[in-house]
Amino acid sequence: MRRGLDTVGGPEEMDAVLGAESQAVLTPLTEAAIFLS
Amino acid sequence: MTVDPGSETDVVALLADLSGLRRSVGFRIPEGGLTCVAGIGSGLWDRVFGEPRPAGLHPFPEFAGARHTAIGTPGDLLFHIRARRLDLCFELAERLTTRMDAYAQVVDEVHGFRSFDERDLLGFVDGTENPEGSAAVAAVLIGDEDPEFAGGSYVVVQKYVHDLAAWDALPVEEQERAVGRSKLSDIEMSDDVKPANSHVALNTIVDDDGEQQQIMRFNMPFGQVGRSEYGTYFIGYAHSPAVIEQMLTNMFIGKPPGNHDRILDFSTALTGNLFFVPTSDFLDDPPDPALVWPSGRESKGDEPADAIVERDGSLGIGSLRQRSG
């Protein structure tokens, strides 16, 4: 399962992007974060 | 983070190990939901990967209005680490920075927390209009418009600090007019009431077909009460940086020019940067920098001639890959 898509919907969403697994850019907001830049 | 010249191979090796590092930390507490997104800045991309490059990747431009400016600050790499527990985030951040200690420097580090009702430190709910489901995928992930990088994304970050004393001195009704939403119930004002310089009005982007252009915000509050530091870390993902840059144009320069975002009278952007977010597949198996030369770049003469390969439009994944270390 594509990591970035596993929280946002079913096969329709997963089929939206073919051939590559996204990073976790669609994971819902969570409790804590560290931003390193 | 900034990366020292000559460390390109180290960066590639680190990115390839990122998913393993995340698993090593997160596997021990699976309910913690540890995730890490890596972004690559324009300058580092050219140094490490060259051509082809993501179509929308460029240095973060400055947005200078008559009263407020969104500055651009240095940054080759971004790590957006999230979990339900800060200890997981901290452990992974420590692993990453220890690994990169010899060749990279942290320019900015912010520890964010979720506040009541998803509220920012101005007291308003933040992120209400984030897209969901298929709309989120369309808003965030690169698609057919740049097929070589499909599944990737772009992320813009800005660290804002608020003049909370001045903000809190405003009547709630005036705060609501600055934001464009009610403070308690988080209901958006109707268009005939919402001020043109409100945050919501200036961040609503509609294309030529009348379709609203959305982004995904994962903003978080941060601060230190002992230093009277109260901030919001803006982090917005989109399939193209153009949408976010239009928002910043509207906010800082104004729409029309001079009609800037009222929130900026109480908020200052201390940092600003744009990063490309490659797919996990790319990170797990990146092209080797020794085999990648940006167009026009010359060999320094100390590289073996057979180490330089003309790019043929592929990403150099697979047989071209000769990762060191």
Side-chain angles (χ1 to χ4, degrees):
Chain A
M1 177 176 285
R2 297 183 181 95
R3 241 168 278 162
L5 306 181
D6 57 5
T7 56
V8 298
E12 299 86 354
E13 284 79 20
M14 294 180 65
D15 287 341
V17 179
L18 301 177
E21 181 178 351
S22 301
Q23 295 192 66
V25 295
L26 295 174
T27 300
L29 191 68
T30 185
E31 305 299 323
I34 292 181
F35 307 94
L36 282 180
S37 65
Chain B
M1 303 182 72
T2 54
V3 176
D4 295 339
S7 304
E8 289 77 12
T9 302
D10 297 309
V11 169
V12 169
L14 172 84
L15 293 175
D17 289 346
L18 185 60
S19 63
L21 285 168
R22 188 205 62 80
R23 280 194 301 273
S24 294
V25 177
F27 185 76
R28 290 173 280 168
I29 308 175
E31 67 274 18
L34 178 66
T35 65
C36 179
V37 173
I40 302 170
S42 178
L44 185 65
W45 181 277
D46 287 340
R47 285 164 52 196
V48 175
F49 299 118
E51 299 288 344
R53 71 196 316 280
L57 184 59
H58 52 255
F60 184 75
E62 181 177 279
F63 298 85
R67 290 189 56 184
H68 304 291
T69 298
I71 62 171
T73 47
D76 290 326
L77 287 171
L78 167 74
F79 294 104
H80 180 198
I81 306 169
R82 291 188 287 165
R84 298 187 185 93
R85 299 167 41 160
L86 184 59
D87 57 349
L88 284 168
C89 301
F90 195 87
E91 172 79 4
L92 182 55
E94 182 188 16
R95 298 283 177 184
L96 284 170
T97 52
T98 299
R99 168 81 176 264
M100 302 175 73
D101 185 54
Y103 60 86
Q105 297 78 41
V106 175
V107 176
D108 187 47
E109 175 178 349
V110 172
H111 294 197
F113 59 90
R114 179 147 87 171
S115 192
F116 309 100
D117 305 338
E118 313 284 4
R119 293 180 188 273
D120 57 28
L121 296 183
L122 299 177
F124 282 75
V125 176
D126 191 12
T128 305
E129 295 300 324
N130 270 349
E132 299 175 331
S134 58
V137 174
V140 171
L141 299 184
I142 297 168
D144 293 339
E145 73 275 16
D146 194 5
E148 194 137 21
F149 298 100
S153 186
Y154 296 92
V155 60
V156 171
V157 295
Q158 290 179 294
K159 178 183 181 179
Y160 286 91
V161 289
H162 307 301
D163 183 347
L164 214 54
W167 176 256
D168 286 341
L170 294 181
V172 169
E173 292 76 12
E174 192 170 341
Q175 292 180 353
E176 292 177 332
R177 288 174 55 79
V179 174
R181 310 184 75 91
S182 59
K183 192 170 186 178
L184 178 63
S185 59
D186 189 36
I187 303 296
E188 185 175 337
M189 291 177 173
S190 59
D191 289 343
D192 58 333
V193 175
K194 188 190 312 165
N197 67 344
S198 66
H199 186 67
V200 170
L202 290 170
N203 280 277
T204 301
I205 309 297
V206 179
D207 67 13
D208 294 339
D209 297 326
E211 188 171 340
Q212 185 172 347
Q213 302 297 294
Q214 295 180 295
I215 68 169
M216 183 71 80
R217 296 173 178 83
F218 291 126
N219 301 356
M220 276 202 159
F222 67 90
Q224 296 186 62
V225 294
R227 295 175 51 191
S228 297
E229 179 191 65
Y230 303 98
T232 297
Y233 197 88
F234 166 79
I235 180 163
Y237 289 90
H239 70 89
S240 163
V243 179
I244 300 176
E245 289 174 354
Q246 184 61 57
M247 292 176 175
L248 294 174
T249 299
N250 293 353
M251 288 174 63
F252 284 85
I253 297 172
K255 183 183 179 182
N259 181 54
H260 69 263
D261 191 328
R262 174 72 168 134
I263 282 185
L264 295 180
D265 295 336
F266 306 90
S267 307
T268 303
L270 301 180
T271 68
N273 217 327
L274 164 69
F275 301 90
F276 171 65
V277 179
T279 62
S280 294
D281 289 347
F282 182 94
L283 293 183
D284 288 344
D285 196 8
D288 190 319
L291 301 179
V292 179
W293 292 91
S295 55
R297 179 173 166 182
E298 300 292 334
S299 167
K300 296 175 183 173
D302 56 354
E303 314 286 349
D306 60 0
I308 303 172
V309 176
E310 289 293 331
R311 301 309 306 271
D312 60 2
S314 75
L315 291 176
I317 296 172
S319 61
L320 286 178
R321 180 167 168 263
Q322 295 178 356
R323 184 183 306 148
S324 63

